[in-house]
Amino acid sequence: MRRTSILLGAAVLTVALASPAAARSGHPDGDFGRATLTGFASLPAETYVPDSEPSGSLIGAGPFNGIAAPFADQPVQGFSGIVNRHDGTFDVLSDNGYGNKANSADYLLRVHRIEPDARSGKVRVLGGFNLSDPHHKVPFPLTRADRLLTGADFDVESIVRVADGTYWMGDEFGPFLLHFDAKGRLLQAPIALDGVQAPENPYLNGAQPTIGGSKGFEGLVRSVDGRRLYPLLEGSVTGDTPGDLRFSEFDLRQRAYTGKRFVYRLESTANAIGDAVAVDRHRFLVIERDGGQGDAAKFKRIYLADTRDSDGDGVMDKTLVADLLDIANPKGVGGFGETFRFPFTTIEDVVLLNDRTLAVLNDNNFPFSSGRTPGRADNNEFITIRLTDRLHADPRAFR
């Protein structure tokens, strides 16, 4: 009975709430029109891991959006990466805690398993696991003697699961690639990207960083054939054209970068990326956003980016797939009006559900962001949107 319920919930999210599409173009990459909201579920901001350790002692007393600190438990917050488990549940990754290395030493890095239900409008937290380094793979000092990893050690912002059931994650402090087993235990030393060092990198030794703080691996893509990873930087590397982001190729068999990379160009140097996922061998969906929230949010979009560079300008071609500030909602899904906005500072999760349906999640930056309602801490929202045209995705993109 439990499995039947879960599968029904997944079907509701991906199919039952879908509205008729707007005019379709028939072009392989479409001239995508207004996406339609088909599902909405929310996890309250003040959701905590049961019987966990206190947290938030380094952020000040507040109150922040009406919430005082510290907290008696670990918040379930900051969804920065997502893995579809294909049973109606998802693994979601919390980021480093409270925004930087200095204030997140008491936040335990964790993967949560969630079950969104569009019928009830709620997200259930089914459990999860902390990230740790029991085998001493990290060669530099960690915050805790028990080697549980904290937000002062790494800033994990992206996650994929590969065929053997292990997880790869992208970190911003190195930036590093991190490889964990199914229980969150680190399997090998953090893997650096040559020529790229953030201000938080433990190996700087007085050298100048080559990328800005919190501008490391914000996106991490698993190729549709499962053989490669493509970590995407959030910021430009020193010497690169401002607004150009490196999309590097990593070979999973060799456990090494191949030296091949592509360039994703932001629409504005003030923008940032939030997440990326493969559509096929050449095309990726990328979230691009400004730093505004609420009424100040002006740019929250999903692009289809193509490595084949048909115009020969040296950067990935881009097609707008969805404007997250202008989503049609003719059925009033979630109790919202005919136009739905996803007006959060950081939108950091996108996953393919079918060839025309995406799930998108926000990072609520608990307790600091208030994009949905001024003065109230944002919830973690899980939405599904239906595109006006097919993506023509490789079937392996849905695995």
Side-chain angles (χ1 to χ4, degrees):
M1 190 67 184
R2 170 67 174 161
R3 179 169 177 80
T4 301
S5 174
I6 288 174
L7 292 176
L8 178 59
V12 168
L13 281 167
T14 59
V15 178
L17 290 178
S19 299
R24 298 176 58 185
S25 68
H27 186 276
D29 282 344
D31 288 324
F32 292 88
R34 249 180 131 203
T36 299
L37 185 68
T38 59
F40 176 90
S42 180
L43 181 71
E46 291 193 83
T47 302
Y48 300 90
V49 179
D51 302 317
S52 57
E53 296 183 15
S55 184
S57 64
L58 302 174
I59 66 173
F64 307 98
N65 292 310
I67 300 173
F71 316 115
D73 293 287
Q74 299 278 312
V76 178
Q77 62 99 336
F79 292 166
S80 292
I82 185 169
V83 171
N84 188 354
R85 299 190 63 85
H86 303 287
D87 60 359
T89 71
F90 299 81
D91 291 327
V92 290
L93 176 67
S94 285
D95 61 20
N96 85 312
Y98 303 107
N100 61 63
K101 196 178 185 78
N103 67 9
S104 300
D106 62 1
Y107 190 83
L108 298 176
L109 301 183
R110 185 172 175 86
V111 174
H112 307 276
R113 185 163 300 171
I114 64 169
E115 182 185 23
D117 184 353
R119 294 166 300 181
S120 67
K122 297 179 179 179
V123 174
R124 295 180 60 217
V125 181
L126 305 180
F129 53 86
N130 293 331
L131 303 183
S132 64
D133 179 35
H135 306 304
H136 293 255
K137 300 296 184 181
V138 178
F140 48 83
L142 296 177
T143 301
R144 294 174 59 119
D146 63 5
R147 305 197 68 82
L148 287 175
L149 300 179
T150 75
D153 302 314
F154 298 102
D155 184 2
V156 286
E157 294 281 355
S158 45
I159 180 173
V160 299
R161 189 174 61 164
V162 293
D164 63 3
T166 63
Y167 296 87
W168 286 84
M169 301 182 195
D171 153 76
E172 288 202 305
F173 284 169
F176 298 117
L177 286 179
L178 304 173
H179 188 200
F180 295 91
D181 69 13
K183 295 184 178 180
R185 298 170 297 204
L186 194 66
L187 293 172
Q188 61 188 94
I191 301 171
L193 177 59
D194 286 347
V196 181
Q197 289 184 308
E200 303 89 349
N201 189 294
Y203 303 120
L204 269 182
N205 295 321
Q208 287 297 311
T210 58
I211 197 168
S214 296
K215 294 296 182 182
F217 292 146
E218 186 69 42
L220 181 63
V221 177
R222 183 194 64 191
S223 65
V224 292
D225 64 9
R227 297 179 180 179
R228 290 169 292 276
L229 300 177
Y230 294 95
L232 176 58
L233 293 170
E234 188 176 14
S236 302
V237 177
T238 301
D240 290 356
T241 300
D244 283 5
L245 309 182
R246 296 186 183 183
F247 213 157
S248 301
E249 183 179 79
F250 182 85
D251 188 301
L252 282 169
R253 293 176 177 176
Q254 300 297 323
R255 301 289 171 87
Y257 284 97
T258 67
K260 184 177 183 178
R261 69 172 185 247
F262 308 102
V263 176
Y264 179 91
R265 177 166 291 169
L266 297 169
E267 295 299 294
S268 166
T269 56
N271 287 352
I273 63 99
D275 196 13
V277 64
V279 172
D280 56 30
R281 179 181 176 186
H282 301 288
R283 297 179 301 153
F284 304 83
L285 291 174
V286 180
I287 297 175
E288 184 176 338
R289 60 170 183 83
D290 63 13
Q293 65 175 346
D295 290 342
K298 305 300 181 186
F299 193 104
K300 313 287 182 182
R301 296 180 178 179
I302 300 177
Y303 284 99
L304 187 61
D306 195 323
T307 63
R308 288 170 290 192
D309 184 20
S310 62
D311 58 6
D313 63 356
V315 302
M316 299 170 75
D317 299 331
K318 293 165 63 175
T319 300
L320 179 61
V321 167
D323 183 344
L324 299 177
L325 297 177
D326 184 25
I327 300 172
N329 189 25
K331 293 187 177 181
V333 172
F336 296 93
E338 292 185 359
T339 295
F340 177 81
R341 287 167 50 86
F342 210 52
F344 301 107
T345 303
T346 45
I347 302 169
E348 299 191 348
D349 312 82
V350 61
V351 63
L352 285 164
L353 299 182
N354 62 46
D355 204 40
R356 289 178 62 185
T357 305
L358 314 178
V360 185
L361 292 75
N362 67 308
D363 173 355
N364 71 341
N365 299 307
F366 180 83
F368 305 116
S369 290
S370 56
R372 179 63 72 195
T373 303
R376 181 181 299 176
D378 283 329
N379 297 332
N380 287 302
E381 295 184 4
F382 183 112
I383 64 171
T384 59
I385 59 174
R386 185 165 172 81
L387 307 179
T388 57
D389 205 352
R390 293 176 56 202
L391 290 166
H392 305 280
D394 187 311
R396 295 173 295 179
F398 305 109
R399 295 176 184 173

